[in-house]
Amino acid sequence: MRSDMRIRLLTGVLSLALVMTACSGGSPSGSSDAAGAGAAGGTKTVKLAINPWIGYEASAAVVAYLLEHELGYKVEKIESGEADSWKGFEKGTVDVVLENWAHPELKKEFIEQKKVAVTAGENGNKGVLGWYVPEWMVKKYPDITDWHNLVKYKDLFKTDKSGGLGQYLAGDKSFVTNDEALIRNLHLPYKVVYSGSEDALIAAARKATENETPLLMYFYEPQWLFNQLKLVKISLPPYAIGCDADPKTVKCDYPPYLLDKIVSVKFARNGGKAYELIKNFVWTNDDQNSVAFDMAENKMSAENAARKWVEANKIVWQDWIPV
């Protein structure tokens, strides 16, 4: 009698264990789906670098939204400058940089030498860097777009901050820039003045357009502001491969940039579906500008701007989602 009861009890315990295992979806191997991630029921976190310009923030907003709402990940946003983001690959504080503007020196250090990062392919955005003036200046001074003529227009750009020279307005010091070397090597009577941020550059461009005040500035595409006002690029000496190899002697324009994504080696190996989504993420300048415009001008939160784009563009992002 007691033996029968023990057998029944043991059978019942085994049956219950099998039911609980089936319901939980557990696996004997305890497989993981992301760096620092558990299986389906665990916490899955992606550490996403946020660099200080609205276009990058727009890309990050959409990728974060899809990671969270389509794949069930948690996204930790790490705000930092471009170079500091790469240091995060080594420290383990960053998994993903979504928009890399070339940076051969960083690729050499962190990909080739330290081997803590790898490229995850292009993100589809085509980057342009350069010197710009408001459209009204080109209409009034048609030859101003030739860099040689900037010498004779120096006095137009003088400000209290330029010390008797023409002012060249730059952005954040962490941005990709050769401008101080270019001005020195092209023997232009200008001084670089740093505005400190993308917002300051945008405000200066608007003021110069609305008030027709002279402005020579650093700017770039993709950039939502071009949907509102017209800036014209200055023709610097044309870019040729290798002309900017030495930042101290550079005398040429910036190259065209096919922006790419960089991830940590750990994330590439263990990131699971999150890594697959990052690798598959490819969109256009217009896509980025539409989200950035909603964030900057329509004052939408990053999540709401991303939701709006996601709801309207399933045909674009559905192929990013891993099966």
Side-chain angles (χ1 to χ4, degrees):
M1 183 71 174
R2 289 181 181 175
S3 177
D4 290 343
M5 287 180 65
R6 288 195 187 107
I7 291 171
R8 289 172 186 167
L9 284 171
L10 180 58
T11 302
V13 169
L14 289 172
S15 298
L16 180 60
L18 288 170
V19 170
M20 291 178 67
T21 300
C23 291
S24 66
S27 65
S29 62
S31 61
S32 63
D33 191 33
T43 300
K44 302 178 291 184
T45 301
V46 178
K47 299 171 184 175
L48 180 59
I50 306 294
N51 291 163
W53 59 90
I54 194 67
Y56 188 110
E57 293 173 25
S59 295
V62 169
V63 168
Y65 187 90
L66 292 172
L67 284 169
E68 291 172 346
H69 294 274
E70 293 295 320
L71 297 182
Y73 284 78
K74 176 182 177 182
V75 176
E76 183 179 350
K77 296 182 177 180
I78 312 297
E79 296 186 2
S80 62
E82 292 176 87
D84 287 338
S85 294
W86 286 68
K87 293 175 184 176
F89 294 137
E90 185 174 20
K91 296 176 181 178
T93 56
V94 169
D95 293 324
V96 181
V97 168
L98 282 174
E99 183 176 303
N100 171 57
W101 288 70
H103 288 296
E105 76 290 355
L106 294 176
K107 286 186 173 180
K108 181 177 180 180
E109 179 179 358
F110 292 98
I111 295 179
E112 297 176 17
Q113 296 175 348
K114 295 182 176 178
K115 302 185 185 304
V116 294
V118 293
T119 182
E122 294 175 4
N123 71 8
N125 290 142
K126 295 176 174 60
V128 177
L129 292 178
W131 297 8
Y132 290 82
V133 293
E135 184 182 40
W136 73 264
M137 294 195 75
V138 179
K139 292 179 178 178
K140 189 170 183 178
Y141 312 104
D143 63 347
I144 202 170
T145 58
D146 184 335
W147 72 270
H148 295 90
N149 296 322
L150 291 176
V151 174
K152 72 178 182 180
Y153 290 118
K154 172 195 71 173
D155 291 344
L156 282 176
F157 299 104
K158 282 184 181 179
T159 71
D160 294 339
K161 297 180 180 179
S162 63
L165 300 172
Q167 175 178 285
Y168 173 84
L169 188 67
D172 187 305
K173 287 188 177 182
S174 72
F175 291 174
V176 174
T177 173
N178 296 326
D179 295 329
E180 290 189 7
L182 275 170
I183 286 171
R184 180 178 64 251
N185 297 330
L186 294 176
H187 308 292
L188 295 173
Y190 285 78
K191 178 180 178 180
V192 175
V193 175
Y194 289 93
S195 66
S197 69
E198 179 183 61
D199 286 345
L201 285 175
I202 289 172
R206 280 178 160 163
K207 182 178 179 181
T209 298
E210 292 168 4
N211 299 337
E212 294 198 353
T213 52
L215 176 67
L216 176 63
M217 67 183 293
Y218 171 98
F219 216 49
Y220 42 85
E221 299 178 53
Q223 171 55 244
W224 63 267
L225 187 65
F226 286 103
N227 295 337
Q228 286 194 336
L229 56 83
K230 179 71 172 176
L231 300 171
V232 181
K233 194 171 182 289
I234 299 293
S235 296
L236 293 169
Y239 176 81
I241 295 175
C243 70
D244 57 349
D246 185 351
K248 295 180 181 178
T249 61
V250 60
K251 293 182 179 181
C252 60
D253 205 347
Y254 294 93
Y257 294 93
L258 296 176
L259 308 185
D260 62 347
K261 302 157 289 189
I262 310 296
V263 301
S264 72
V265 168
K266 181 180 179 181
F267 184 72
R269 289 174 179 166
N270 305 319
K273 290 185 177 181
Y275 170 66
E276 292 299 318
L277 187 149
I278 298 298
K279 190 170 65 172
N280 294 339
F281 167 65
V282 178
W283 69 349
T284 67
N285 286 14
D286 287 341
D287 288 323
Q288 187 186 94
N289 286 341
S290 67
V291 178
F293 181 83
D294 279 335
M295 293 170 64
E297 285 299 282
N298 293 334
K299 307 303 179 186
M300 295 175 67
S301 69
E303 182 169 8
N304 286 340
R307 180 188 295 112
K308 176 183 174 181
W309 185 89
V310 165
E311 290 176 351
N313 292 276
K314 186 173 183 179
I315 193 171
V316 177
W317 60 261
Q318 62 185 352
D319 289 337
W320 307 344
I321 306 299
V323 179

